[in-house]
Amino acid sequence: KGWATSAGADLGTGVGKAAAAYIQTNLGGNANIAMVVCDSLGPVCSVRHDAITAALKVVPNVKVVASQDAFQTDKAEPLVVSMLTAHPEVNIVITNNQGGTEGATAAVKQLGLQGKVWVFGIDMTNVAANYLLESPPVLMYTVGQDSLSVGKASAQMMVQVLSGQTVDPAKFVAPVQEYPRTDTAKINQYLTDHQGQ
């Protein structure tokens, strides 16, 4: 009857644009990138990957030199350690989901590469929020789904359907939520709102 979601392409565009802007502003437009994807999960992740690739095209001197599929933190961390060890030229890691974001950040810290490798991720959690507040910086940005808006829209649709009403629109796409590390007020508010989660 209807469905609600956050657009995967918007998540990918958000992280891709943030990484591209950082590369242009702080790295002279040059970067060697390692990607942590979750394409094995199907379109939910591959559309994110495609959007990241498109957003990075504004920076001509970037090269993806390594890519691994991992969507759980405990799998992503050792994979990123391996990628960074095999490709010491990598200075940016871009991830497609929560496990990749948390695992990549942990891998950079494990290898002591703070100040040499920066992570741009997708999905927001308390772990990611705390990484965004840490110094020296590793996780620079993440973009998350607005679960509250999706939940509200879904509940409203359910009430309409059960009341015999037509759901219009049949599709609700919630805007994504961006969390650059510079917005400490928003990050701290997230932690306040999600205590104990």
Side-chain angles (χ1 to χ4, degrees), residues 20 25 49 54 59 63 74 99 127 154 184:
T25 303
H49 190 172
V59 191
K63 188 174 5 174
D74 60 344
V127 172
S154 300
T184 55

Side-chain angles (χ1 to χ4, degrees), residues 131-135 137-140 179-184 187:
Y131 280 151
L132 286 166
L133 296 172
E134 283 184 351
S135 289
V138 175
L139 182 59
M140 304 303 293
Y179 296 92
R181 72 177 294 115
T182 52
D183 194 346
T184 55
I187 296 163

Side-chain angles (χ1 to χ4, degrees), residues 4-15:
T5 187
S6 289
D10 291 349
L11 294 167
T13 298
V15 71

Side-chain angles (χ1 to χ4, degrees), residues 124-131 133 179 184-197:
M124 184 59 158
T125 62
N126 285 351
V127 172
N130 282 304
Y131 280 151
L133 296 172
Y179 296 92
T184 55
K186 187 173 184 179
I187 296 163
N188 281 311
Q189 187 61 55
Y190 179 93
L191 286 169
T192 299
D193 293 342
H194 295 83
Q195 284 181 9
Q197 295 181 7

